[in-house]
Amino acid sequence: MTEQVRDTEALIRDQIAKHAVLLYMKGTPQFPQCGFSARAVEALSQIGRPFAYVNILENQDIRAILPQIANWPTFPQLWINGELIGGSDIMSEMFQNGELRSLVEQYSAAPEA
């Protein structure tokens, strides 16, 4: 394992540890760069709690290494409280049945009034 791979793995693990709700996506919440990322952002936005994101298009090392760490090949990837929840299909299903809202609300602070 190269030093760059180790550094990228450490960066990913640090990001996941620091952010209770973290979306690895293509693009940004304001400008998603694929339909799946757009659907993921839409679901999270409807919940109305803050979430962090990482644009994997701006970091090819994360884009290459995260699927190996997560054992999940595609993006977006939603992580809540250090655990991989899944991609946009799983997020959509969980949003529809209310599971996503309760999970996000459990770990993400309510916005300031």
Side-chain angles (χ1 to χ4, degrees), residues 8-110:
T8 301
E9 279 191 14
L11 172 64
I12 291 167
R13 293 187 194 289
D14 186 54
Q15 289 170 337
I16 292 168
K18 279 185 178 169
H19 301 287
V21 180
L22 176 61
L23 183 65
Y24 287 93
M25 63 179 291
K26 293 179 179 176
T28 67
Q30 295 77 20
F31 298 104
Q33 297 295 305
C34 79
F36 297 109
S37 290
R39 282 205 328 241
V41 167
E42 178 64 24
L44 288 172
S45 296
Q46 286 187 32
I47 293 169
R49 294 292 178 92
F51 64 93
Y53 73 92
V54 173
N55 180 355
I56 61 153
L57 299 177
E58 292 180 349
N59 191 321
Q60 293 301 316
D61 293 336
I62 289 176
R63 186 177 187 177
I65 293 169
L66 182 59
Q68 299 165 16
I69 292 173
N71 199 23
W72 191 268
T74 58
F75 292 96
Q77 290 185 14
L78 177 64
W79 291 75
I80 297 179
N81 195 34
E83 291 190 36
L84 175 64
I85 302 303
S88 65
D89 289 347
I90 290 172
M91 287 178 65
S92 293
E93 184 178 311
M94 290 178 70
F95 180 77
Q96 295 299 325
N97 68 24
E99 286 179 79
L100 188 61
R101 177 178 297 277
S102 62
L103 199 55
V104 169
E105 287 177 350
Q106 181 178 352
Y107 293 104
S108 182

